[in-house]
Amino acid sequence: RSLTLNLRPTGLDLFTSSGTEYALVTLEAGDGLQLLNVTEARAPSSVSALHAGKSHWRMLRGAASVAVVTASENCTLAVVGSYTANGLQVLDLTVPSKPFELVHLAHRPDRPTLKGIVDVGVRHVEGSYYLYALSSSDHTVQVFHLNTSIACEHARALNALHAAGDDDESEDDD
């Protein structure tokens, strides 16, 4: 069985969280991401979608590629490369149904170019993660050290804040 994505998918990466298998799909025309539960291969289902319409997702405009990193049992990160928004966005996927931005890197003339990112990849080498970003605008590959320890620590703190906010909201509903 297939699941139709009408927004021109451009990239895909797979990961597992708490025994559930997911596909994270970039949607260039949809300016965002679609998260699918693919545990049941014959019946993939949509879990969530993120779109560049909200300001904190602006780097998803023209999302072209994604690479997922399971840095530890309790920390899953996604790196999204954007052709149109000219940059990268690192997302926390530790709670797959509630992803959020940890950081974004935008193209600036005084830094290595992130213009027209069409593909990203992450490689684990001798205890460190490296992020590779392919720019079609200037025909370069940029390499960055991805400090997963800091990213995961930041994600844990933000997840705790989000959880506290959810508790506060549920108390108000009673």
Side-chain angles (χ1 to χ4, degrees), residues 13-106:
D13 203 358
L14 304 167
F15 69 100
T16 302
S17 178
S18 300
T20 302
E21 295 182 32
Y22 295 97
L24 189 59
V25 181
T26 54
L27 304 168
E28 183 181 17
D31 288 335
L33 297 170
Q34 182 78 46
L35 181 64
L36 307 173
N37 179 330
V38 295
T39 303
E40 179 56 51
R42 294 179 179 247
S45 60
S46 178
V47 174
S48 64
L50 305 172
H51 298 283
K54 294 184 177 181
S55 64
H56 61 282
W57 299 116
R58 66 186 171 276
M59 290 306 295
L60 293 180
R61 205 173 92 246
S65 181
V66 63
V68 177
V69 178
T70 302
S72 71
E73 186 177 318
N74 299 318
C75 183
T76 303
L77 308 171
V79 179
V80 181
S82 171
Y83 181 81
T84 309
N86 295 322
L88 302 166
Q89 189 168 34
V90 179
L91 309 175
D92 174 62
L93 295 176
T94 303
V95 179
S97 62
K98 295 182 179 181
F100 59 88
E101 177 187 82
L102 293 175
V103 66
H104 70 265
L105 303 169

Side-chain angles (χ1 to χ4, degrees), residues 88-153:
L88 302 166
Q89 189 168 34
V90 179
L91 309 175
D92 174 62
L93 295 176
T94 303
V95 179
S97 62
K98 295 182 179 181
F100 59 88
E101 177 187 82
L102 293 175
V103 66
H104 70 265
L105 303 169
H107 173 71
R108 286 182 28 189
D110 61 329
R111 292 189 181 165
T113 187
L114 290 173
K115 194 172 181 184
I117 300 298
V118 293
D119 202 4
V120 295
V122 176
R123 185 160 183 239
H124 189 246
V125 179
E126 297 177 8
S128 295
Y129 287 92
Y130 294 91
L131 164 62
Y132 297 81
L134 175 63
S135 167
S136 69
S137 296
D138 64 359
H139 315 286
T140 61
V141 174
Q142 299 294 332
V143 182
F144 302 90
H145 177 253
L146 180 60
N147 190 327
T148 56
S149 297
I150 290 175
C152 293
E153 184 178 316

Side-chain angles (χ1 to χ4, degrees), residues 150-163:
I150 290 175
C152 293
E153 184 178 316
H154 185 59
R156 278 190 293 279
L158 290 174
N159 274 316
L161 285 173
H162 286 261

